[in-house]
């Protein structure tokens, strides 16, 4: 090897290090509210991650097309996590330095890691419909916002729906319910609640884990074939969901006895299975596929009509796209609430935005004005309640699209509240935190 | 020219046995250390610390451990991720179950338990070698993944299977800011690097290398394969376990078994192969290559795109990152199959003669 070659190799490495230093110190410009966007457009969960990311980005673009947030333009930057925790932490550190308003980790693992970091950096975390369930307790988790519901809410509503279908909670006695779950913190989140419900109503709960990424389910479905549970709850994500449906088809397990969590009931999960998934249900926190919603018409008109839309036009308004939109809307509305207090037309810091998320009051007229009419119900948060609402519906796949098959249902506060408080207290004790005092609520 | 050794005479055995026989190396390393300890904390921002330097240091430490086993003793292992996991979870258990245990003790206990597990899974190395051993150590990976996901005791019966630590401090020094964390990792890395360097120069290191080069011949000249192989597994797992504990405690703060998946094992093995088998320096080069390059490409490619007025989507960046990364690995291995450390030593050799090569 020549010295010249060596010098080239060395200079490549040096350029790399210097570029890293250079890019990391670039700051967002003034008068722009910066929203970091953690996404995964590659990797095992990409088919589901892409529509979410498209919806999220499209909503931010839409706010700009509407003239910004009281005149403040929104800027954003995507960072690819690939659903890996360490990459997510790297993204967080990179985008934090650019004046991030709020992070939405989009992964339970990353949420857990960032929960430790957010209080020190004073950046709020929104985990709309996912994340750690006990973080609904604002008294301990000052910076976490599981807006619109948690996995405990989803699990509770599922059991309520099943009880209704059976004709009352007393009919659940002696029934067998199997939980097929993604073997990660995401999949394990609902277990405490289901165990609580199982003890209360006398059904047996069998836990059937499926390892990442979820294509290996033969053994799981063999067990289902043997035990013949009355219901199967599918706590999956990505390729795991369509695999579960295919396995159910092969096993001959009735699809209408299968219930997905709200991450397991979108078009990418069922469309490959098509007719075979007919009758499959999924609980949806707030929204479903809303192709007719006013906000979707606006997106098609103002963005896709002008060639500025993100992703394919056909996916606009589908379940995961809507989830992206709703998450972005919550992120933006919190900043709007903060502006009402700290000054309209100003760029909010993470700390000010946190106040906004804590005092979010999305009433029905406000939602209608934003174009979310019929998509979701009002959300209002407080110092103690960082969840805001716990409403869900069940939709069913008819072979071509999803139809609503239940009314709005609300999770049972009598069960969830004490569990949240106990888990939050345990967390506080482990971390040697004290509950926030009343005076802290005003800040 | 830069490495001219004229006039550097060694007049005692002590002088002849130094780690760095050339005076330039000694000073160079001291200057490097001084920069790492005093200058870096002043110049570098938080992102560099948290996202690049700390992961780099911890994975260098893990790569050092793997290098002991794979590079020096020739026992290919695919279970390094598992030993990291053992380190992290057992350090966690020591930390939460024993009231008031010092942080250092907790971290080292992670290494201790990783040693036990590593030696247990090293037993097959007495009968099988090469690829067969790699498959046997793969069992360690699967077993540990299973154990940490399923057995509630390891995660302190945490419902979600994710554990976290906080309020770290050593003798009143709270490890809170990125600089603290960086310095703690740096201290571990420097200590262990010196320790391993001395170990591989000693009798036991020579035994490992003899086993690596030809185990039958080694046995004939009186080296006990059982002792050599198991000691390599023990030392390697200890270091990898401590690295795992640091990864959990210092870098992530909160982790799940997926943080130590089989991908991590592969990553560590690649670090050793690309950095240079059987080289302390190589472990650092390998870690830098594997940790920093993807992050660099991830930020560099959009910047290049902007230069030409093309906006590159996140997915395209991510895909290109994999392609370029793969191509670079192949290129480096063709240019220098003995790893980046060999490039480094060739460079040093050139510097000795420069500017008058013969």
């Amino acid at each position: 090897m020549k010295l010249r070659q060596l010098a080239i190799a060395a200079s490549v490495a040096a350029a790399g290090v210097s570029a890293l230093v250079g890019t990391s110190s670039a700051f967002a410009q003034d008068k722009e509210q910066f929203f970091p966007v953690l996404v995964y457009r590659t990797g095992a969960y990409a088919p589901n991650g892409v529509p979410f990311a498209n919806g999220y980005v499209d909503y931010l673009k839409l706010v700009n097309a509407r003239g910004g947030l009281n005149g403040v333009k929104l800027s954003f930057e995507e960072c690819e996590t690939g659903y890996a925790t360490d990459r997510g932490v790297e993204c967080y550190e990179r985008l934090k330095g650019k004046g991030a308003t709020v992070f939405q980790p989009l992964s339970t693992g990353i949420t857990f890691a960032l929960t430790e970091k957010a209080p020190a950096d004073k950046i709020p975390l929104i985990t709309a419909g996912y994340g750690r369930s006990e973080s609904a307790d604002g008294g301990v988790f000052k910076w976490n916002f599981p807006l619109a519901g948690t996995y405990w809410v989803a699990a509770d509503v599922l059991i309520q729906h099943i009880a209704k279908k059976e004709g009352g909670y007393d009919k659940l006695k002696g029934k067998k319910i199997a939980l097929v779950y993604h073997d990660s913190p995401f999949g394990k989140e609902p277990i405490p609640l289901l165990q609580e419900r199982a003890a209360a109503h006398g059904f047996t709960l069998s836990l059937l884990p499926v390892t990442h990424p979820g294509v290996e389910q033969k053994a799981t479905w063999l067990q289902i074939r043997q035990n013949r549970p009355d219901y199967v709850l599918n706590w999956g994500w990505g390729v795991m969901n369509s695999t579960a449906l295919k396995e159910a088809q092969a096993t001959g397990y009735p699809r209408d006895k299968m219930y997905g969590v709200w991450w397991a009931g979108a078009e990418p999960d069922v469309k490959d299975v098509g007719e075979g998934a007919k009758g499959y249900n999924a609980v949806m926190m707030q929204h479903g596929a809303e192709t007719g919603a006013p906000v979707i018409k606006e997106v098609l008109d103002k963005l896709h009509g002008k060639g500025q839309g993100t992703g394919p036009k056909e996916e606009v308004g589908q379940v995961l796209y809507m989830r992206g939109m709703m998450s972005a809307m919550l992120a933006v509305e919190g900043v709007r609430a903060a502006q009402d207090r700290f000054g309209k037309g100003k760029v909010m810091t993470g700390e000010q935005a946190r106040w906004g998320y804590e005092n979010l009051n999305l009433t029905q007229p406000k939602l209608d004005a934003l174009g979310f009419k019929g998509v979701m119900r009002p959300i209002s948060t407080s110092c103690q309640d960082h969840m805001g609402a716990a409403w869900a519906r069940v939709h069913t796949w008819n072979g071509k699209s999803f139809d609503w098959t239940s009314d709005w249902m609300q999770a049972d506060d009598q069960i969830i509240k004490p569990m949240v408080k106990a888990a939050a207290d345990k967390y506080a004790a482990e971390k040697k935190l004290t509950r926030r005092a009343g005076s802290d609520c005003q800040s | 020219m830069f490495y001219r050794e004229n006039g550097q005479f060694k007049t005692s055995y002590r002088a002849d046995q130094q780690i760095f026989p050339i005076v330039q190396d000694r000073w160079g390393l001291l200057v490097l250390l001084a920069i790492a300890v005093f200058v870096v904390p002043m110049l570098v921002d938080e992102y560099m610390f948290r996202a690049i330097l700390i992961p780099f240091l911890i994975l260098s430490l893990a790569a050092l451990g793997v290098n002991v086993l794979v590079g020096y003793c020739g026992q290919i292992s695919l279970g390094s991720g598992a030993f990291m996991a053992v380190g992290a979870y057992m350090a966690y258990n020591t930390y939460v179950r024993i009231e008031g245990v010092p942080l250092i003790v907790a971290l080292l206990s992670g290494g201790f338990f990783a040693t036990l597990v590593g030696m247990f899974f090293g037993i097959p190395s007495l009968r099988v070698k090469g690829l067969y051993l790699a498959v046997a150590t793969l069992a360690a990976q699967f077993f540990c993944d299973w154990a940490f996901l399923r057995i509630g005791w390891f995660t302190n019966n945490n419902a979600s299977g994710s554990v976290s630590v906080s309020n770290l401090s050593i003798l009143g020094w709270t490890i809170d800011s990125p600089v603290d964390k960086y310095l703690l990792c740096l201290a571990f890395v420097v200590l262990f690097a010196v320790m391993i360097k001395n170990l591989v120069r000693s009798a036991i290191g020579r035994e490992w290398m003899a086993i690596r080069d030809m185990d039958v011949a080694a046995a004939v000249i009186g080296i006990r394969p059982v002792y050599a192989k198991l000691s390599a597994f023990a030392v390697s797992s200890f270091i990898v376990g401590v690295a795992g504990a640091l990864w959990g405690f210092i870098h992530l703060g909160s982790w799940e078994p997926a943080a130590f998946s089989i991908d991590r094992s592969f990553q560590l093995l690649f670090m050793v192969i690309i950095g240079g088998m059987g080289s302390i320096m190589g472990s650092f080069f390998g870690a830098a290559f594997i940790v920093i390059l993807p992050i660099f490409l991830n930020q560099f490619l959009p910047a290049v795109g902007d230069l030409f007025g093309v906006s590159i989507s996140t997915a395209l960046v991510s895909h290109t990152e994999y392609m370029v990364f793969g191509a670079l690995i192949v290129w480096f291995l063709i240019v220098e199959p003995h790893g980046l450390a060999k490039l480094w030593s060739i460079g040093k050799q050139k510097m000795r003669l420069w500017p008058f090569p013969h």
Side-chain angles (χ1 to χ4, degrees):
Chain A
M1 165 165 270
K2 300 268 164 55
L3 189 61
R4 189 165 45 85
Q5 277 174 309
L6 200 74
I8 291 171
S11 54
V12 166
V17 173
S18 57
L20 274 174
V21 178
T23 48
S24 61
S25 57
F27 277 89
Q29 283 164 355
D30 283 340
K31 270 306 228 183
E32 282 193 352
Q33 189 77 43
F34 177 64
F35 286 90
V37 187
L38 265 55
V39 295
Y40 33 98
R41 291 177 181 275
T42 59
Y45 304 100
N48 300 57
V50 171
F52 180 96
N54 290 342
Y56 198 95
V57 170
D58 265 357
Y59 188 80
L60 296 178
K61 284 183 183 168
L62 181 66
V63 173
N64 278 340
R66 283 170 176 169
L69 192 56
N70 293 324
V72 178
K73 276 197 95 61
L74 309 185
S75 62
F76 55 88
E77 185 176 329
E78 286 188 19
C79 187
E80 172 75 24
T81 66
Y83 204 71
T85 303
D86 52 345
R87 280 307 280 272
V89 170
E90 193 267 321
C91 280
Y92 169 82
E93 298 294 347
R94 189 194 314 168
L95 298 178
K96 176 178 89 177
K98 300 189 177 180
T101 311
V102 59
F103 274 94
Q104 305 212 14
L106 200 56
S107 136
T108 308
I110 301 175
T111 306
F112 273 81
L114 296 191
T115 299
E116 311 294 314
K117 293 174 187 281
D121 299 323
K122 304 208 180 306
I123 298 176
L125 287 181
I126 293 183
T127 53
Y130 56 95
R132 40 192 322 161
S133 303
E134 66 266 37
S135 65
D137 188 338
V140 173
F141 294 89
K142 187 175 171 182
W143 297 89
N144 290 45
F145 295 90
L147 297 171
T150 62
Y151 289 135
W152 288 354
V153 168
D156 194 69
V157 170
L158 276 173
I159 298 296
Q160 283 185 35
H161 184 81
I162 289 172
K164 205 178 255 176
K165 203 169 175 180
E166 289 286 328
Y169 286 114
D170 47 327
K171 300 269 174 27
L172 286 179
K173 201 167 180 66
K175 289 265 185 298
K176 286 186 283 189
I177 295 181
L179 175 71
V180 177
Y181 66 96
H182 191 267
D183 204 354
S184 67
F186 155 64
K188 287 180 184 171
E189 268 293 316
I191 294 173
L193 186 122
L194 290 172
Q195 282 170 337
E196 190 99 358
R197 279 280 192 183
H201 307 307
F203 61 85
T204 44
L205 178 70
S206 48
L207 302 174
L208 305 171
V210 174
T211 50
H212 156 92
V215 280
E216 200 53 66
Q217 297 185 22
K218 285 270 181 262
T220 311
W221 286 89
L222 198 66
Q223 271 173 287
I224 289 176
R225 191 200 289 265
Q226 281 169 345
N227 295 337
R228 282 278 148 191
D230 296 284
Y231 290 96
V232 169
L233 307 184
N234 176 32
W235 220 271
W237 181 224
V239 69
M240 172 176 167
N241 298 328
S242 50
T243 311
L245 284 165
K246 281 177 199 152
E247 293 289 344
Q249 204 177 1
T251 318
Y253 190 83
R255 263 72 77 206
D256 57 346
K257 300 270 185 181
M258 283 176 72
Y259 283 82
V261 68
W262 80 319
W263 295 101
E267 289 83 357
D269 305 323
V270 287
K271 74 173 180 238
D272 293 344
V273 197
E275 284 291 317
K278 202 169 167 179
Y280 173 66
N281 311 289
V283 63
M284 286 288 115
M285 230 90 83
Q286 303 274 13
H287 71 86
E290 312 282 357
T291 41
V295 68
I296 293 304
K297 293 195 176 115
E298 208 180 339
V299 165
L300 287 172
D301 179 40
K302 285 186 179 164
L303 297 177
H304 283 266
K306 291 179 182 158
Q308 289 167 349
T310 319
K313 206 172 171 181
E314 308 82 68
E315 282 179 12
V316 173
Q318 289 191 348
V319 175
L320 287 161
Y321 184 92
M322 277 315 288
R323 193 156 308 147
M325 286 220 116
M326 187 183 88
S327 302
M329 186 272 284
L330 292 170
V332 172
E333 288 312 303
V335 177
R336 194 192 299 275
Q339 279 195 355
D340 286 344
R341 172 172 165 160
F342 297 105
K344 281 190 178 168
K346 285 187 189 158
V347 175
M348 294 289 111
T349 63
E351 222 169 341
Q352 288 167 331
R354 194 201 70 79
W355 185 89
Y357 297 122
E358 193 161 283
N359 294 278
L360 203 58
N361 188 15
L362 287 174
T363 56
Q364 199 60 50
K366 275 190 196 168
L367 287 172
D368 294 351
L370 290 168
F372 283 80
K373 188 174 188 172
V375 175
M376 54 192 289
R377 294 181 69 113
I379 290 180
S380 110
T381 54
S382 71
C383 181
Q384 290 305 319
D385 177 16
H386 276 197
M387 187 159 75
W391 291 95
R393 287 181 281 182
V394 172
H395 71 191
T396 306
W397 178 251
N398 65 12
K400 297 207 167 42
S401 62
F402 282 108
D403 301 321
W404 292 116
T405 46
S406 87
D407 286 335
W408 286 101
M409 286 180 287
Q410 198 173 15
D412 192 348
D413 262 355
Q414 296 202 329
I415 291 183
I416 291 188
K417 275 244 169 87
M419 285 182 65
V420 166
K421 183 158 186 308
D425 281 339
K426 185 177 171 229
Y427 179 87
E430 266 176 30
K431 302 282 163 192
K432 302 188 175 64
L433 295 169
T434 45
R435 279 191 166 268
R436 288 164 67 193
S439 56
D440 195 37
C441 284
Q442 305 309 317
S443 64
Chain B
M1 159 156 185
F2 297 112
Y3 269 110
R4 193 166 294 159
E5 292 162 61
N6 306 13
Q8 295 186 26
F9 300 113
K10 285 145 194 158
T11 49
S12 62
Y13 285 117
R14 243 181 93 83
D16 201 32
Q17 286 174 350
Q18 309 184 72
I19 297 182
F20 298 105
I22 307 173
V23 108
Q24 289 92 326
D25 275 348
R26 274 202 299 277
W27 282 105
L29 202 84
L30 280 179
V31 169
L32 191 72
L33 253 182
I35 290 175
V37 175
F38 299 108
V39 181
V40 166
M42 285 193 288
L43 290 183
V44 168
D45 65 352
E46 197 180 339
Y47 169 73
M48 273 296 270
F49 275 126
R50 287 194 192 251
I52 295 176
L53 288 175
I54 293 172
F56 161 69
L57 283 176
I58 298 174
L59 288 179
S60 308
L61 184 60
L64 269 175
V66 178
N67 221 335
V68 165
L69 191 62
V70 180
Y72 284 99
C73 197
Q75 313 293 310
I76 300 175
S77 162
L78 283 177
S80 331
F83 304 143
M84 272 182 96
V86 172
Y89 277 95
M90 291 314 293
Y92 167 77
N93 273 301
T94 315
Y95 193 66
V96 296
R97 282 174 201 283
I98 303 172
E99 193 66 36
V101 66
L103 178 63
I104 297 281
V105 175
L107 292 174
L108 292 180
S109 82
F112 170 73
F113 286 104
T115 307
L116 297 184
V117 176
M119 281 172 79
F120 177 74
F121 281 100
I123 292 173
S125 69
L126 310 177
R127 297 299 293 268
V128 294
K129 45 186 173 180
L131 272 179
Y132 302 93
L133 180 65
V135 175
T137 51
L138 205 57
Q141 183 69 47
F142 292 131
F143 175 77
C144 290
D145 273 358
W146 173 86
F148 294 126
L149 277 169
R150 295 284 182 291
I151 302 174
W153 187 84
F154 287 120
T155 55
N156 207 2
N157 294 314
N158 201 312
S160 67
S162 175
V163 300
S164 66
V165 289
S166 59
N167 305 324
L168 304 178
S169 69
I170 297 170
L171 299 173
W173 173 38
T174 45
I175 315 247
D176 195 27
S177 73
V179 181
D180 296 335
K181 293 181 172 181
Y182 164 77
L183 289 176
L184 179 72
C185 293
L186 187 68
F188 266 99
V189 171
V190 170
L191 271 176
F192 277 108
V194 171
M195 194 188 88
I196 297 168
K197 181 74 190 173
N198 277 314
L199 210 54
V200 295
R201 281 152 22 103
S202 69
I204 185 149
R206 286 195 295 275
E207 286 186 10
W208 291 341
M209 285 184 267
I211 291 283
R212 171 191 67 188
D213 293 339
M214 182 78 204
D215 53 353
V216 178
V220 166
I221 59 169
I223 291 168
R224 284 171 296 163
V226 179
Y227 177 75
K229 285 179 177 177
L230 283 188
S231 63
F233 263 97
V235 171
S236 162
S237 319
F238 180 77
I239 294 157
V240 172
V242 171
L246 286 172
W247 188 257
F249 275 58
I250 308 293
H251 180 49
L252 293 178
S254 158
W255 67 96
E256 49 176 314
F260 305 103
S261 65
I262 186 147
D263 291 347
R264 185 74 62 211
S265 299
F266 285 132
Q267 206 185 25
L268 290 173
L269 195 64
F270 294 159
M271 281 179 197
V272 170
I273 293 173
I274 290 169
M277 295 245 238
S279 156
I280 302 293
M281 188 69 106
S283 311
F284 290 95
F285 284 140
F289 189 82
I290 299 269
V291 175
I292 298 176
L293 196 72
I295 297 175
F296 160 65
L297 287 173
N298 192 292
Q299 301 185 37
F300 179 70
L301 293 174
V304 170
D306 283 347
L307 229 56
F308 297 101
V310 192
S311 79
I312 304 177
S313 77
T314 318
L316 185 64
V317 169
S318 195
H319 291 139
T320 325
E321 178 197 317
Y322 282 114
M323 287 189 282
V324 174
F325 188 59
L328 272 176
I329 289 180
V330 174
W331 183 70
F332 263 119
L333 289 182
I334 290 172
V335 170
E336 186 48 74
H338 296 291
L340 297 172
K342 184 74 179 173
L343 279 183
W344 173 254
S345 72
I346 292 173
K348 270 197 339 193
Q349 204 59 39
K350 299 271 180 204
M351 285 300 184
R352 271 185 184 176
L353 304 172
W354 192 81
F356 304 115
H358 41 246

